[in-house]
Amino acid sequence: MPEPESIMRRIRDHESGKRRPDDEYAELYCRVYGLSEQVLFGGDDTDELGDEIDAIELARRAAASDVGGETLERLEMAVDDLAAAYPNTRPAELLYRVKRHLTYVARLLDGRKTLAEHRRLLVAGGWLSLLGATCHIDLRQYPAATARLRTAAQLAHHAEHPEIAAWCVETEAWKVLTDGDYQTAVTLSQGAQAIAPRTGSAYIQATAQEGRAWARLGASAETRDALARVHKMVSPMPVPDRPEHHYRYDPAKSDAYTATTLAWVGDPAAVDCARQVLERLESSDDGGPRPRRAASARLDLALALLVAEELEEAGHIAMEAMANGLLVPSNYWRVAEVVTQVEARGVSAGRDLREAYQELCPAPARREISG
């Protein structure tokens, strides 16, 4: 066997895209990420990604500059494209693309550049690191997520970019919420609001996240206060040019958060709200369908239906959410919550739901929720 240091170097080369794994290693990566070898190491998607970076690099060389305005503009466009791809792309696939772009940003940071160019590179690297952390959380890869969040926060500090800094804290709040630490999620959400620009998306998102955390704590008054603040901020907002962009707040997104929050706090109004959100997410309006968000919306609807005592439909909707293959590991605890409640109430579909959940979620990753 090779020495551990040699294996670590090889893995770093694989994950940075510098070196393609040998066949036996490639198969192991495909098993871990749940993706085909074509997608990870040589299919059409990765060819297109290499072409995109090569095109940016060619433009940089043509401009006879280590960085240059055109290179930065194209890089910034690529960052926006990746953020817009988040709702419709599997986390492992998007993470691979993000890592490739981060490698390119790191190379540019080593070159000659003006102070303004340096800052723009830091900002691009900050957004990419933040998006990478979000993908890691979706995959429940928490140590990697923490490392990328720290990097994003560092880059935001050096670039003096409070919007990225606030998103880092809000993303940490989301991470601890998915892990069941609701009080810390409240504290972090409020901390994100304290540093976020009042006109930016991070401030709205952190307020919505605070409401969700209060709902999990059963604090009805605080939950409704947060929802009211979000509604006041988003009601005059126009739909952004790219509503699917993960870091540009879409007013329709507040409806999805409202549905989640009302379902968690046990409000019967969550049913109608969740139905409307699901219909919108599956329509062609406002940027087109968002399949991954629709899968999460089904979990909101299932939980809301349980509150309304519509037990059979709740089981049916939960089964649909699991069957489409779009739920990510950060959703598994929410699936467990619905399954456990369906079983506890003696719904006929309970056994089928439990089997579907066990098939969806490997045993080491399961989080059981008591009803």
Side-chain angles (χ1 to χ4, degrees):
M1 288 290 291
E3 292 296 321
E5 292 79 7
S6 175
I7 295 175
M8 291 170 64
R9 282 197 302 272
R10 181 176 296 185
I11 291 174
R12 282 195 292 268
D13 286 347
H14 293 165
E15 297 192 344
S16 68
K18 293 179 180 177
R19 175 178 176 179
R20 188 195 186 284
D22 297 332
D23 289 344
E24 63 272 21
Y25 287 100
E27 182 179 351
L28 292 173
Y29 274 101
C30 291
R31 290 182 187 177
V32 168
Y33 289 113
L35 297 171
S36 69
E37 189 169 338
Q38 182 184 33
V39 170
L40 273 179
F41 302 116
D44 294 338
D45 289 346
T46 52
D47 287 344
E48 289 178 7
L49 175 59
D51 290 345
E52 178 185 348
I53 294 176
D54 288 345
I56 298 174
E57 176 67 6
L58 180 59
R60 180 187 72 81
R61 293 182 179 182
S65 167
D66 278 1
V67 182
E70 185 175 350
T71 299
L72 286 166
E73 287 173 12
R74 296 184 67 168
L75 179 60
E76 288 160 351
M77 289 172 59
V79 171
D80 284 337
D81 288 343
L82 290 169
Y86 176 78
N88 299 315
T89 308
R90 293 183 183 277
E93 180 182 340
L94 186 61
L95 182 59
Y96 177 78
R97 295 166 61 187
V98 167
K99 287 179 178 179
R100 290 288 301 272
H101 282 83
L102 277 169
T103 299
Y104 186 62
V105 169
R107 193 193 325 166
L108 293 178
L109 280 168
D110 287 336
R112 293 170 299 174
K113 55 204 169 297
T114 66
L115 286 174
E117 290 168 345
H118 181 72
R119 183 182 184 277
R120 289 173 69 180
L121 282 174
L122 292 178
V123 171
W127 285 122
L128 288 169
S129 297
L130 178 61
L131 185 56
T134 304
C135 293
H136 282 302
I137 294 169
D138 276 331
L139 296 167
R140 293 184 68 81
Q141 298 169 348
Y142 287 167
T146 298
R148 291 203 184 276
L149 280 177
R150 286 174 180 164
T151 298
Q154 257 188 318
L155 295 174
H157 173 72
H158 291 307
E160 298 181 348
H161 200 293
E163 181 75 2
I164 295 177
W167 272 108
C168 289
V169 181
E170 188 279 334
T171 303
E172 179 69 21
W174 169 55
K175 179 170 78 73
V176 300
L177 186 146
T178 65
D179 210 34
D181 189 353
Y182 307 129
Q183 188 59 61
T184 300
V186 168
T187 301
L188 288 169
S189 297
Q190 292 172 341
Q193 293 168 58
I195 63 176
R198 295 298 185 266
T199 56
S201 294
Y203 186 76
I204 305 173
Q205 179 71 12
T207 306
Q209 201 69 266
E210 180 192 347
R212 296 209 308 172
W214 282 126
R216 298 304 301 188
L217 289 167
S220 180
E222 290 85 351
T223 299
R224 295 182 187 284
D225 174 68
L227 287 176
R229 283 183 278 140
V230 171
H231 179 73
K232 183 177 180 180
M233 286 186 280
V234 304
S235 56
M237 286 178 62
V239 176
D241 292 338
R242 303 181 76 175
E244 70 277 16
H245 195 295
H246 191 58
Y247 300 112
R248 294 178 189 166
Y249 204 88
D250 172 15
K253 193 175 182 181
S254 69
D255 294 334
Y257 270 77
T258 298
T260 305
T261 306
L262 291 177
W264 285 355
V265 84
D267 191 323
V271 174
D272 288 340
C273 186
R275 289 193 197 280
Q276 293 170 12
V277 168
L278 180 58
E279 182 179 355
R280 183 183 298 117
L281 290 172
E282 293 185 325
S283 76
S284 298
D285 300 333
D286 299 333
R290 299 171 180 77
R292 279 186 53 203
R293 288 182 183 170
S296 296
R298 279 188 165 80
L299 296 179
D300 293 333
L301 178 55
L303 186 58
L305 287 165
L306 286 173
V307 172
E309 297 298 325
E310 299 289 342
L311 307 183
E312 294 293 341
E313 186 182 0
H316 174 71
I317 294 296
M319 186 67 79
E320 283 186 347
M322 286 187 279
N324 62 23
L326 294 171
L327 292 174
V328 297
S330 61
N331 290 137
Y332 291 167
W333 70 278
R334 301 185 60 198
V335 180
E337 182 173 46
V338 174
V339 171
T340 302
Q341 290 198 32
V342 168
E343 285 183 320
R345 299 185 191 197
V347 180
S348 59
R351 182 175 179 178
D352 291 340
L353 276 176
R354 172 64 60 176
E355 290 177 355
Y357 171 63
Q358 291 172 343
E359 184 176 342
L360 169 74
C361 180
R366 288 180 200 151
R367 174 179 160 192
E368 302 298 333
I369 307 292
S370 58

